[in-house]
Amino acid sequence: MENITEVKALLSYPKSIVITTHRNPDGDAIGSSLAMYFYLTQMMHTVQMVIPSEYPEFLEWMPGVQEIVIYDLHQERSKELMEKADIVICLDFNGLDRIDKLGEIVNNLTCRKIMIDHHLDPEPFVDYVFSDTTASSTCEMIYDFILAMGHKQYIDAIVGESIMTGILTDTGSFRYSTSPKLYRIVAELLELGVDDYKLQDLIFNSYNEKQLRLLGHCLANRMEILEEYQTGIITLTKDDYAKFNISRGDTEGIVNYLLKMKNIKMAAFITEQPTIVKLSLRSKGDFSVQAIAQNHFKGGGHKNASGGASYQNLEATVKKFKALLPQYNQALSPQH
Ligand code: 5GP
Ligand code: MN
C-alpha cells in the first residue's frame, strides 16, 4: 500500500469522513462500508455513510445499517453531508458512474478522496487509490488497510463480522477468488470471535417464499441454454417484476444457478428495469465476461463477474447479446 504514509497522516487527527459505495450495494459494499465506519469511529473521526440506493433486505440484520443515508430517499441531506466532508472514502467501486447522481457531487468536491477497491481498471477521480484486483473482496482489502495503518487492535468482533460478510458474499462462501492469504485472514477473524455459522445462516438462508418461487419461475420458464456456446441466459420482464412483486435484492444470486450446469461457462441474467435493461454476467475459469460488459454494455467488473446496461428493449438486448457469442466462440466452444 504505497500511499499509506500520507493516508496515515491524513487520518492522524479527527476528521469528518463520508464513506460511500456503489448503487445496488451487495454484501461486500455494505460490509466494507460498515467495517470502515466502525474502525474510523473508534479512531474518533466523525463518520457518515452515504450511498446511492437502498441496500437489500438480506443485509438488514447488520449492525450499523440503519445509520446509512440513502441518496434516493434523502437527496438534500446526502448532498449536505458530502459537502461538509474533509475526506470521502469510496469503497468497492472505481468509476463515478457506479454511484449515479452522487458521482457528480463527489466529482465537484475539493476534499481529499480515497478509493479502496478490487475491480479492474480504476478511474483516476481520487487522491489516493488502493486497488488490488487480486483481492477476493473490498472487505479483504479493508483488513489489509487497517493492518497497514498499524491498527490491528481496532479489528474487533463487529469490524470482523462486517469484513467477514463481504468475504462470504464476494467469494460465494469460498467458492471463488480464494487464496492462502484470504484463509489466513479468515482464521484471524474467527479467532476474534466472528461467528461464521451465524453469518452464513443470516446471509444465505434468508430467502422468503416469494424469492424461492421466483427462482423456480426463472429456472422453469425463463431459462435458455445455448449449448453451442456453453452459455445460459435467464431473462425477466417488467411483467415478471409486477407479478412476483420483485424488489431490490430478490434476484440476487439467481444468475449463479446457470453455472451449476456442468458444461456452462457463461451465464447471463438479463432483466427489464424501469428505464434500462440490466445485464449480470458470470463465467467460470479462464473465460472473461469483463470485456463483454465493458465493450458492449457500458459496464465492467471482474473476470468472472461483471455487469452492464443496455438502452434497447429486453428482446433487442437479448438478441444483441446472442449475436456477440460467435465472436467469443473460441473461448466458449465445447471442445475448447
Ligand atoms: P452484478 O451482476 O452482481 O450486478 O455485478 C457483478 C459485478 O459487476 C460487480 O462486481 C459489479 O461491481 C460489476 N458491475 C455490475 N454492474 C455494473 C455496471 O453497470 N458497470 C460497471 N462498471 N460494473 C458493474
Ligand atoms: Mn466487491
Side-chain angles (χ1 to χ4, degrees):
M1 296 205 163
E2 50 187 284
N3 293 315
I4 200 73
T5 315
E6 285 166 69
V7 171
K8 231 182 206 169
L10 195 64
L11 295 173
S12 63
Y13 57 96
K15 292 275 168 59
S16 175
I17 300 175
V18 168
I19 293 166
T20 190
T21 189
H22 61 82
R23 71 165 175 253
N24 301 338
D26 52 15
D28 192 32
I30 297 299
S32 59
S33 298
L34 291 170
M36 205 63 175
Y37 173 81
F38 287 117
Y39 161 59
L40 293 171
T41 304
Q42 288 181 72
M43 283 176 72
M44 307 314 287
H45 295 292
T46 305
V47 193
Q48 299 279 352
M49 294 167 284
V50 180
I51 71 174
S53 66
E54 286 177 84
Y55 51 81
E57 237 173 83
F58 79 95
L59 297 174
E60 193 68 65
W61 59 271
M62 292 189 80
V65 278
Q66 61 288 346
E67 303 297 325
I68 297 176
V69 178
I70 294 156
Y71 178 83
D72 277 354
L73 307 179
H74 304 283
Q75 304 193 353
E76 276 312 307
R77 174 147 176 74
S78 300
K79 190 159 185 264
E80 235 168 71
L81 289 171
M82 283 281 184
E83 286 171 352
K84 275 200 311 213
D86 302 316
I87 302 170
V88 170
I89 304 183
C90 300
L91 299 178
D92 200 39
F93 72 99
N94 63 15
L96 285 177
D97 63 335
R98 298 278 291 135
I99 53 171
D100 297 341
K101 294 259 168 56
L102 280 177
E104 220 170 282
I105 297 170
V106 169
N107 201 31
N108 290 330
L109 297 175
T110 54
C111 73
R112 294 304 174 95
K113 296 163 203 164
I114 301 170
M115 176 201 293
I116 303 178
D117 178 63
H118 67 131
H119 296 92
L120 299 164
D121 302 327
E123 288 174 13
F125 63 92
V126 298
D127 303 282
Y128 307 103
V129 179
F130 297 96
S131 166
D132 179 0
T133 58
T134 70
S136 64
S137 51
T138 299
C139 278
E140 178 180 346
M141 294 184 68
I142 299 289
Y143 185 92
D144 294 340
F145 177 81
I146 298 175
L147 251 60
M149 289 285 289
H151 288 154
K152 193 171 179 182
Q153 72 275 17
Y154 287 117
I155 306 181
D156 57 10
I158 195 148
V159 171
E161 290 203 341
S162 309
I163 291 176
M164 187 70 170
T165 297
I167 291 175
L168 283 170
T169 54
D170 263 27
T171 64
S173 285
F174 304 108
R175 277 178 301 144
Y176 23 83
S177 318
T178 60
S179 66
K181 170 178 164 267
L182 177 72
Y183 283 112
R184 283 191 192 99
I185 292 174
V186 169
E188 299 261 348
L189 294 178
L190 298 192
E191 278 168 0
L192 282 170
V194 168
D195 184 342
D196 58 333
Y197 289 115
K198 179 190 82 178
L199 294 180
Q200 299 256 18
D201 189 44
L202 284 166
I203 295 166
F204 298 112
N205 298 334
S206 62
Y207 272 27
N208 55 35
E209 183 182 340
K210 177 186 82 179
Q211 288 168 327
L212 209 52
R213 291 196 188 282
L214 171 64
L215 173 64
H217 171 67
C218 287
L219 300 180
N221 311 314
R222 293 285 180 265
M223 181 177 88
E224 186 177 359
I225 300 298
L226 304 164
E227 255 173 61
E228 187 187 352
Y229 300 112
Q230 301 200 324
T231 294
I233 304 174
I234 290 174
T235 53
L236 279 180
T237 63
K238 273 186 185 159
D239 282 351
D240 291 321
Y241 272 79
K243 187 172 157 222
F244 283 86
N245 186 23
I246 301 173
S247 52
R248 213 182 281 288
D250 288 344
T251 55
E252 185 80 30
I254 291 178
V255 62
N256 295 312
Y257 283 87
L258 290 164
L259 294 180
K260 287 188 182 289
M261 268 182 74
K262 200 170 179 181
N263 293 321
I264 292 296
K265 277 190 188 154
M266 174 158 66
F269 183 57
I270 308 178
T271 57
E272 205 173 18
Q273 305 290 326
T275 57
I276 58 159
V277 170
K278 163 103 181 98
L279 292 96
S280 270
L281 305 176
R282 298 290 186 274
S283 63
K284 271 193 290 210
D286 283 342
F287 180 70
S288 171
V289 282
Q290 206 257 348
I292 300 183
Q294 193 167 39
N295 299 340
H296 306 283
F297 298 104
K298 300 183 170 60
H302 312 276
K303 185 173 96 177
N304 295 132
S306 281
S310 157
Y311 302 87
Q312 295 175 292
N313 66 26
L314 181 65
E315 200 185 339
T317 305
V318 172
K319 207 169 153 191
K320 175 178 167 179
F321 176 76
K322 285 184 186 170
L324 290 168
L325 297 177
Q327 194 179 322
Y328 293 89
N329 195 15
Q330 265 283 313
L332 286 167
S333 59
Q335 64 273 22
H336 194 77

